[in-house]
Amino acid sequence: MEYTDINLVEDGNTRIIYFNREGHLNTVTEHMVDEIIHAMKSVVDSSRSIIIGGRNNFSAGADIAQFQYIDARNAYDFHLKLNELALFFRNYPRPVISFLNGYVLGGGLELSLSTDIRICSRKAILGQPEINLGINAGAGGNVILPSVIGRNRALYMILTGEKITALQAYDFGLVDLLSDDPEAEARRIAEIINNMPEHAVSITKHAVNTSTDSNIELKLDYEAALFGILQSEKDTKERIDKFMQKKRSK
Ligand code: COA
């Protein structure tokens, strides 16, 4: 299959997925989600690990253009699509390592939360800015983020929408390693894991998921329903229109 929104690259026993919407800060669309899942399914038997990221930016979140004219039902469906990818990362039998460059915001940060190891550029900027648009964080921003950095820090990030530095993110435990070259570091770590016993790696990931992911599908589904409700608010529509108008007026 020819991909448009991603590039799939072979690197020994690792497969690297690069987001390929840098012109749009790698904002996430349903099409991009479908391509990532397709690519990962196609290499599950021929690889030992997946690395995912963007050369300049990880992602500035969901593409807000998609939200301008959608109703609650479609907003819910879009959120389910993000959930599908988050759960796919978590349940994938190989380790999924993300490298975080540039902007790591909203849906981008949320999807990275469901990768197994996050390696962050010292220059990256992270945040959950959805509140500015009148919507709640998606794909685990309300569910997984609190379990990673604690309820209070999660609420600070979600309720203020403030962007944080890589160093703050590391201090919060939001990213696992800092690096000047996160892609190279991801490759180094993938290589170590690739040389571990294959079955032990997949069983270990499964064991960790079993301990951390209790009822996660239900919790993500509830978050998606609330996302749908907020998308139908007049204030949200106005905020999204304002963002899009600013874009067009440039
Ligand atoms: N969806 C759609 N377009 C987006 C976007 C998003 N999530 N984030 C950025 N863009 C677009 C901007 O509209 C702009 O488009 P234009 O060139 O057509 O005007 C372009 O990406 C560059 O963004 P700009 O704001 O000019 O660059 P910046 O460096 O000053 O700021 C951000 C970058 C990411 C901090 C800022 O664009 C932003 O806050 N975006 C919204 C992020 C967000 O809310 N994500 C969660 C979505 S649910």
Side-chain angles (χ1 to χ4, degrees):
M1 180 177 166
E2 286 272 315
Y3 299 116
T4 55
D5 291 2
I6 61 166
N7 289 317
L8 176 64
V9 173
E10 192 171 324
D11 179 39
N13 285 330
T14 298
R15 298 293 175 274
I16 307 181
I17 295 175
Y18 294 99
F19 300 130
N20 190 30
R21 281 173 48 84
E22 287 283 358
H24 302 274
L25 303 180
N26 288 332
T27 46
V28 181
T29 62
E30 290 197 32
H31 184 67
M32 189 193 235
V33 170
D34 284 337
E35 288 196 346
I36 296 168
I37 292 176
H38 184 282
M40 288 176 67
K41 279 185 179 165
S42 75
V43 299
V44 67
D45 292 329
S46 58
S47 65
R48 297 289 304 274
S49 57
I50 299 286
I51 292 176
I52 188 160
R55 288 192 164 94
N56 300 317
N57 294 286
F58 188 74
S59 169
D63 187 337
I64 295 167
Q66 301 172 108
F67 299 150
Q68 205 172 10
Y69 304 112
I70 60 173
D71 58 14
R73 173 76 218 194
N74 287 326
Y76 173 66
D77 285 345
F78 175 73
H79 196 303
L80 291 186
K81 195 78 193 167
L82 292 184
N83 289 358
E84 184 186 343
L85 182 56
L87 293 167
F88 188 79
F89 283 159
R90 300 181 92 81
N91 295 323
Y92 196 73
R94 313 284 184 203
V96 181
I97 302 171
S98 52
F99 63 98
L100 310 178
N101 283 316
Y103 288 119
V104 189
L105 302 175
L109 178 55
E110 290 141 20
L111 289 175
S112 85
L113 287 171
S114 282
T115 61
D116 301 318
I117 302 172
R118 286 178 287 278
I119 302 165
C120 189
S121 157
R122 291 181 201 280
K123 294 183 186 152
I125 295 169
L126 303 92
Q128 297 280 180
E130 289 97 328
I131 192 91
N132 293 304
L133 297 170
I135 53 180
N136 60 331
N142 311 270
V143 175
I144 301 168
L145 184 67
S147 72
V148 173
I149 64 173
R151 177 178 182 274
N152 302 74
R153 283 172 167 168
L155 281 169
Y156 153 65
M157 289 187 70
I158 297 166
L159 295 182
T160 65
E162 278 198 336
K163 297 180 185 66
I164 63 171
T165 63
L167 199 58
Q168 274 175 299
Y170 182 69
D171 186 45
F172 281 9
L174 179 55
V175 297
D176 306 307
L177 297 167
L178 290 180
S179 173
D180 292 324
D181 187 345
E183 183 183 340
E185 184 65 355
R187 286 178 195 232
R188 189 187 69 79
I189 289 169
E191 188 59 22
I192 294 173
I193 302 174
N194 290 350
N195 287 314
M196 296 299 171
E198 185 174 357
H199 202 211
V201 169
S202 61
I203 291 277
T204 300
K205 178 167 169 178
H206 178 68
V208 171
N209 282 348
T210 306
S211 102
T212 59
D213 286 7
S214 151
N215 284 331
I216 193 166
E217 287 187 31
L218 190 63
K219 291 173 189 169
L220 289 177
D221 192 69
Y222 182 65
E223 178 187 63
L226 297 177
F227 184 79
I229 290 170
L230 284 174
Q231 279 283 351
S232 56
E233 301 252 332
K234 185 166 167 280
D235 176 59
T236 303
K237 290 283 170 224
E238 285 170 3
R239 285 168 181 266
I240 289 172
D241 283 350
K242 201 168 155 198
F243 181 89
M244 295 307 295
Q245 274 160 17
K246 191 172 148 216
K247 199 175 163 70
R248 288 192 196 104
S249 65
K250 272 190 191 169

